[in-house]
Amino acid sequence: MINMKSYLFILALFVAAGLKAQTGSISNIEVIPYTDGTGMVEITYDLEGAEPEYEISLEVSFDGEGTFTAIDIGCITGDIGEVQPGIDLVLILWDGECSSPGVFSTQTQIKLSASFNPGWTCGDQTVRDGQSYNTVQIGTQCWMARI
């Protein structure tokens, strides 16, 4: 379970990290553990980048050694998985008691990362927001054109 001592360490980690993904970045991270004994942790962040969406993942370490493990997706709600950049104040709720029952550590660290994985090859057709787009490679970038 996360407590206030852990909160201060987690917040320092996030502020110092400013995590970057290939062409996107996560910034303005704020971590707020609930103090009602539920083990819930609220995480907000901004996501920027040139890609249409990024895969957001959350990992945790309790050992102070940086040994991170993925958090069970069933214990996370909110803006996790595929997230579009440019949205202010993206929100994740992590149920720490669900993912790590009875675990307490003053060395808790959380790693929040964004990666681009289009799941298709440039030149293929893709669908975004209900619209179909052809894609074409120009230099090192893949561009979309509405059909």
Side-chain angles (χ1 to χ4, degrees), residues 110-128:
I110 296 174
K111 185 187 328 181
L112 185 62
S113 57
S115 60
F116 176 63
N117 183 6
W120 49 269
T121 304
C122 192
D124 293 346
Q125 190 175 77
T126 186
V127 176
R128 296 278 187 242

Side-chain angles (χ1 to χ4, degrees), residues 9-32:
F9 184 78
I10 292 169
L11 184 58
L13 171 73
F14 278 141
V15 171
L19 299 174
K20 287 203 176 236
Q22 294 171 357
T23 56
S25 66
I26 294 174
S27 62
N28 299 323
I29 302 165
E30 185 174 352
V31 180
I32 303 171

Side-chain angles (χ1 to χ4, degrees), residues 1-3 6 60-63 96-97 99-105 108:
M1 183 182 323
I2 307 289
N3 75 359
S6 301
V60 66
S61 172
F62 296 111
D63 64 7
E97 191 62 29
S99 66
S100 307
V103 174
F104 169 81
S105 173
T108 303

Side-chain angles (χ1 to χ4, degrees), residues 36-58:
D36 59 3
T38 61
M40 295 295 291
V41 179
E42 183 176 298
I43 304 165
T44 59
Y45 64 95
D46 293 337
L47 174 62
E48 295 296 327
E51 303 301 340
E53 63 188 19
Y54 292 89
E55 184 72 22
I56 304 299
S57 62
L58 188 61

